[in-house]
Amino acid sequence: MTGAPARKPGLRDVFAQPGYRRLWAARTVSQWGDVVNTVALALLIYRLTGSGLGVSGVVAAEIAPVLLLAPFAGPLIDRWPRVRVMVASDLFRFVLAAGLAVWHDAPAGVYAIAFGMSIGAVFFNPAASSVLPTLVPKEDLVAANSGIWTAAVLSQIALAPLAGLLVTGVGYGPAFAINAASYALSALLLRGLRVPSPPEHLERRRLLADAREGVRVLLRHRLLRALAAGQLLAALSAGATSALLVVLAEDHLGVTGSGYGLLIGAIGIGAALGPLALLRLIRQPRRPLFVFGPFALRGVVDLVLASVTALPVAVAALVAYGVGTSTGAVTFNSMLQAETPEQVRGRVFASMDVLWQGGRLVSLAAGGLLADQYGIQVVYYLGGLLLLAAAAAGFSTVQPVHPR
């Protein structure tokens, strides 16, 4: 009817779609296992190696497959049925997680399995992101991504402490077995997923030629180029500031133990509230303001954290940081899904993964050196400036995007 207000999509709309419900359930169950696995893996490798460097080795083992394989995974995801890619990835990780539940006494074996499980994620994550736009209308993408993001955040808040208790109480094997079971259940749920709009046939060329086509799409599309720049600058910032929050807490804020836990909890609270506020308060969440604005919010928070020493102020700032992280992730992914051509989604999402993990790896290395040489405040000042640069790059590159 003429003059009627535009529909404001919400969680009820997307959960009314059977395909979305199935994808959401599979990703949520898998996230439960991932939380348990992350906690157990960090505790295990620290027990086996007795060093922080050993724990960092797990992070490196998880990042390396993205940098090595994503350029090849993207074209394959665009060639193959994406649901089958997700199922195969889950089954591959199920076998590895089941093996880790039985054999977890040698650091080399743990690193190898962490590397292998990341290979599965290299294929699963871009395929899942590529499938979502075929399950819900374009105007519902923000609500759809909000549902998945909120479930992941709440899973981490609720299950991370329980995972620590599980490892302490019954050992590492049962924790890894839970992760294996989550992959099996996810694969079972995804087997029944029907994608209404399969990707168009992709001409069989060399993988590198197909990968280059995905990069060309990123570089030539004005909005996608802005999103890629924001992704890289944010990774260069967040890789160090996230990992070194414990250093900020001790050296700058003067808190340890429960104080550090309070800071982590503040981020979690903000991250959980962000998508709910986005759906309830904002009518056009895919506007550039809500895609690139969260970069600026997080940048300001980093500058505040580097400047203040009062714990209450830092806690309040980190709640805002969590809101910026979650709303930014939801709107960023939604715009990327909406604007990327169907036939190159796998390659574009794989390229974004390379930018994120590569920037994160550089940031981790540089951040540690800067913190040791010049102090943790310099790391947070620089991180804040990088995030403000990401926001500025986005706002200066794109024109207002009007809802379709």
Side-chain angles (χ1 to χ4, degrees), residues 227-314:
L227 292 172
Q231 179 88 322
L232 178 59
L233 289 169
L236 290 172
S237 168
T241 56
S242 297
L244 298 176
L245 181 61
V246 63
V247 180
L248 181 86
E250 294 191 11
D251 292 355
H252 182 58
L253 300 176
V255 298
T256 57
S258 60
Y260 174 64
L262 187 61
L263 298 176
I264 294 293
I267 298 175
I269 291 171
L273 292 176
L276 302 178
L278 191 69
L279 293 177
R280 183 173 294 274
L281 302 176
I282 299 172
R283 184 166 294 279
Q284 298 175 14
R286 276 204 298 120
R287 291 171 54 197
L289 173 63
F290 303 117
V291 175
F292 297 106
F295 288 135
L297 174 60
R298 291 161 56 196
V300 170
V301 169
D302 278 348
L303 297 179
V304 169
L305 291 173
S307 303
V308 305
T309 57
L311 181 60
V313 176

Side-chain angles (χ1 to χ4, degrees), residues 37 41 65 88-104 109-121 173 176-177 179-181 183-184:
N37 182 76
L41 200 59
S89 299
D90 271 341
L91 293 177
F92 177 69
R93 291 182 291 178
F94 161 74
V95 171
L96 292 175
L100 191 59
V102 179
W103 299 289
H104 49 259
V110 175
Y111 289 133
I113 290 178
F115 184 92
M117 291 178 71
S118 183
I119 291 176
F176 295 129
N179 189 35
Y183 287 130

Side-chain angles (χ1 to χ4, degrees), residues 171-264:
Y172 298 99
F176 295 129
I178 288 174
N179 189 35
S182 76
Y183 287 130
L185 183 54
S186 174
L188 186 63
L189 288 167
L190 290 171
R191 280 194 62 194
L193 181 62
R194 300 292 177 261
V195 179
S197 301
E200 297 175 5
H201 176 70
L202 185 67
E203 181 184 352
R204 296 302 178 93
R205 301 178 297 182
R206 292 186 177 181
L207 290 179
L208 285 178
D210 284 341
R212 285 195 295 268
E213 182 184 350
V215 173
R216 283 195 296 270
V217 170
L218 267 181
L219 295 178
R220 292 175 180 174
H221 191 296
R222 186 180 180 88
L223 181 54
L224 296 184
R225 188 168 65 244
L227 292 172
Q231 179 88 322
L232 178 59
L233 289 169
L236 290 172
S237 168
T241 56
S242 297
L244 298 176
L245 181 61
V246 63
V247 180
L248 181 86
E250 294 191 11
D251 292 355
H252 182 58
L253 300 176
V255 298
T256 57
S258 60
Y260 174 64
L262 187 61
L263 298 176
I264 294 293

Side-chain angles (χ1 to χ4, degrees), residues 36 39-41 43-44 47 100-101 104 162-178:
V36 174
V39 173
L41 200 59
L43 294 173
L44 171 64
R47 181 180 69 81
L100 191 59
H104 49 259
L162 295 179
L165 293 175
L166 176 67
V167 168
T168 302
V170 298
Y172 298 99
F176 295 129
I178 288 174

Side-chain angles (χ1 to χ4, degrees), residues 37-38 41 57-66 114-115 118-119 122 357 360:
N37 182 76
T38 298
L41 200 59
V58 173
V59 178
E62 293 172 345
I63 291 177
V66 179
F115 184 92
S118 183
I119 291 176
V122 167
Q357 297 293 7
R360 181 169 166 241

